[in-house]
């Protein structure tokens, strides 16, 4: 049976809508919000307002690009959380009204699970997808997790950050260097011109599969603060080397625990997901690890790495197939731990 799932993502600062025909993406429209750039981070109130302005044009564009009419939509999937509450309310309210007016099922999706389920998008009929169980390193602006994926909606977090997320470490490091927000892509680009061994930063000593990034942030801050006393143009002169060294350290921290997780579980199918999975250094490190440890790896397309609605729609497709529909009374949650 052919389904058309409309996915809506509005958890942070991107308004996105996508249409999937079963597991194939017909459209994936994303409206970025430039308004936050001058504040060096996302301003929640401004994000909600921009979602409100963007949502109808974005959904309209997604339906047009998919070449379907709204009456063809089988079900509507929306991000229920985690994220900024005001932003989530815009997407969830729209999804509820859309489902109600067309009398179609409503599907509630967890943003972090959707990042992982993006690996099941099949743009080509023979696109390779993981088998269960597999391990996924989910790295975004708000989360850093090693997830044991047992089934589409049966996931166990076996490692997580005890403080900052990896994306946050990139963003905060960029802020220290007065680089624009979001810092991850900027550092990634600069890193390609720098020496990853130029500077050494403190690495965390955390037991088991958990992560910590707040010490790294402090270590970067102190190194730069001390160097600036001797040379006020230190950052300007060393931007590329600093970026390469910071990126190298973050990736080393991430990969160490992922290797440990694979050794502890015996699982050799490894995936990465979330905004930081767009990082070219992390992608390369996964390829090196695949050869070293004989892993089968899954790296999402760039357009499915950072926030997008195609991942919400693919998660929606599997919920729709299981007839796991949401009620109109469902409310968004800001944190994954408050999910009911
Ligand atoms: O998944 P995402 O788009 O939004 C959240 O759910 O948080 O992730 C955003 C994060 C930001 O911290 C951003 O700096 C980071 O992903 N990011 C990157 C790259 N592209 C985005 N970090 C490193 N390298 C990149 N190329
Ligand atoms: Zn995300």
């Amino acid at each position: 049976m052919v389904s058309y799932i409309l996915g809506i993502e509005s958890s942070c600062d991107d308004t996105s809508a996508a249409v999937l025909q079963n597991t194939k993406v017909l459209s994936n429209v994303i409206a970025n919000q430039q308004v936050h750039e001058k504040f060096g981070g996302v301003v929640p109130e401004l994000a909600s307002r921009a979602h409100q302005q963007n949502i109808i044009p974005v959904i309209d564009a997604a339906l047009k690009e998919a070449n379907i009419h709204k009456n063809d939509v089988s079900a509507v999937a929306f991000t229920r959380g985690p994220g900024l509450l005001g932003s989530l309310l815009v997407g969830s309210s729209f999804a509820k009204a859309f489902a109600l007016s067309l009398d179609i099922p409503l599907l509630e999706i967890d943003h972090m699970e959707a990042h992982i389920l993006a690996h099941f998008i099949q743009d080509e009929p023979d696109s390779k997808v993981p088998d269960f169980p597999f391990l996924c390193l989910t790295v975004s602006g708000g989360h850093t997790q090693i997830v044991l994926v047992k089934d589409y909606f049966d996931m166990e977090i076996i490692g997580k950050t005890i403080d900052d997320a990896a994306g946050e470490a990139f963003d905060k490091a960029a802020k220290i260097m007065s680089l624009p927000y979001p810092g991850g892509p900027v550092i990634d680009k600069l890193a390609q011109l720098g020496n990853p061994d130029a500077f050494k930063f403190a690495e965390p000593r955390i037991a088991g599969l958990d992560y910590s990034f707040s010490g790294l942030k402090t270590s970067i801050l102190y190194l730069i603060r001390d160097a600036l006393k001797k040379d006020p143009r230190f950052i300007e002169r060393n931007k590329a080397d600093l970026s390469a060294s910071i990126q190298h350290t973050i990736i080393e921290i991430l990969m160490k625990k992922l290797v440990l997780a694979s050794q502890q579980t015996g699982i050799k199918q490894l995936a990465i997901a979330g905004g930081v999975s767009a990082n070219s250094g992390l992608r390369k490190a996964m390829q090196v690890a695949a050869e070293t440890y004989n892993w089968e790896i899954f790296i999402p397309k760039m357009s499915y790495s950072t926030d997008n609605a195609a991942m919400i729609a693919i998660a929606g497709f599997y919920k729709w197939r299981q007839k796991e529909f949401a009620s109109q009374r469902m409310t968004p949650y800001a944190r994954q731990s408050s999910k009911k």
Side-chain angles (χ1 to χ4, degrees):
M1 191 176 157
V2 175
S3 70
Y4 292 98
I5 308 290
L6 171 68
I8 300 173
E9 155 62 31
S10 70
S11 66
C12 192
D13 60 339
D14 295 316
T15 320
S16 180
V19 176
L20 259 66
Q21 182 186 48
N22 293 353
T23 58
K24 183 180 159 68
V25 176
L26 299 183
S27 63
N28 185 29
V29 177
I30 303 171
N32 303 114
Q33 302 180 0
Q34 309 301 338
V35 61
H36 309 286
E37 216 179 291
K38 59 177 174 289
F39 298 100
V42 177
V43 184
E45 177 63 23
L46 296 181
S48 318
R49 286 189 221 172
H51 282 305
Q52 197 68 269
Q53 285 166 351
N54 291 341
I55 194 137
I56 290 177
V58 163
I59 285 170
D60 204 37
L63 291 172
K64 282 208 178 94
E65 208 180 293
N67 206 14
I68 66 161
H69 187 267
K70 66 179 185 327
N71 293 333
D72 300 325
V73 175
S74 317
V76 54
F78 70 97
T79 307
R80 191 176 158 212
L84 303 169
L85 213 61
S87 293
L88 290 164
L89 278 168
V90 178
S92 60
S93 305
F94 189 94
K96 284 182 186 179
F98 193 89
L100 198 63
S101 66
L102 293 169
D103 195 22
I104 55 173
L106 185 64
L107 308 157
E108 55 100 10
I109 305 299
D110 180 89
H111 181 89
M112 298 315 293
E113 288 185 354
H115 268 303
I116 297 172
L117 294 174
H119 286 288
F120 292 92
I121 290 172
Q122 288 184 291
D123 283 333
E124 296 351 301
D126 57 349
S127 302
K128 195 178 72 155
V129 300
D131 292 321
F132 300 115
F134 65 95
L135 292 177
C136 187
L137 172 68
T138 315
V139 267
S140 70
H143 296 80
T144 296
Q145 303 173 333
I146 300 178
V147 184
L148 169 59
V149 189
K150 300 173 197 167
D151 207 333
Y152 297 110
F153 301 104
D154 185 3
M155 304 187 188
E156 188 187 339
I157 299 167
I158 58 171
K160 61 179 184 318
T161 181
I162 59 162
D163 41 56
D164 293 351
E168 216 174 338
F170 273 105
D171 297 337
K172 285 181 176 171
K175 202 166 186 174
I176 295 171
M177 290 195 284
S178 305
L179 297 172
Y181 177 87
V186 185
I187 290 188
D188 189 354
K189 210 164 161 203
L190 283 165
Q192 288 166 27
L193 310 167
N195 172 10
D197 298 314
F199 300 100
K200 291 271 168 264
F201 302 105
E203 284 203 26
R205 291 205 188 102
I206 302 287
L209 298 175
D210 284 342
Y211 289 108
S212 166
F213 286 99
S214 68
L216 172 65
K217 177 192 63 194
T218 314
S219 172
I220 297 168
L221 187 68
Y222 288 173
L223 183 139
I224 293 182
R225 187 195 60 186
D226 294 345
L228 279 174
K229 282 182 196 152
K230 291 179 209 138
D231 174 10
R233 291 185 59 206
F234 172 75
I235 296 177
E236 212 181 307
R237 286 191 221 274
N238 295 281
K239 236 186 236 174
D241 283 350
L242 279 167
S243 296
S245 303
I246 290 165
Q247 178 167 303
H248 177 73
T249 312
I250 294 174
I251 293 168
E252 232 176 44
I253 295 171
L254 289 173
M255 291 305 294
K256 241 184 221 169
K257 295 294 172 95
L258 194 59
V259 168
L260 187 63
S262 167
Q263 284 166 348
Q264 284 184 358
T265 58
I267 294 173
K268 283 181 171 277
Q269 279 193 102
L270 280 290
I272 52 172
V276 181
S277 71
N279 185 269
S280 60
L282 181 59
R283 288 170 170 247
K284 231 173 271 158
M286 283 294 286
Q287 264 145 15
V288 172
E291 279 175 30
T292 313
Y293 302 105
N294 201 17
W295 287 355
E296 189 181 2
I297 55 165
F298 297 87
I299 296 178
K301 271 189 191 170
M302 283 302 217
S303 48
Y304 307 145
S305 297
T306 44
D307 287 351
N308 68 90
M311 69 184 198
I312 305 302
I314 188 76
F317 168 74
Y318 288 106
K319 282 218 166 161
W320 176 80
R321 222 176 51 168
Q322 291 174 201
K323 295 197 169 31
E324 227 186 292
F325 305 147
S327 111
Q328 281 283 334
R329 299 175 67 173
M330 199 138 261
T331 50
Y333 51 85
R335 291 175 185 278
Q336 222 172 9
S337 53
S338 49
K339 179 169 151 187
K340 276 186 219 102

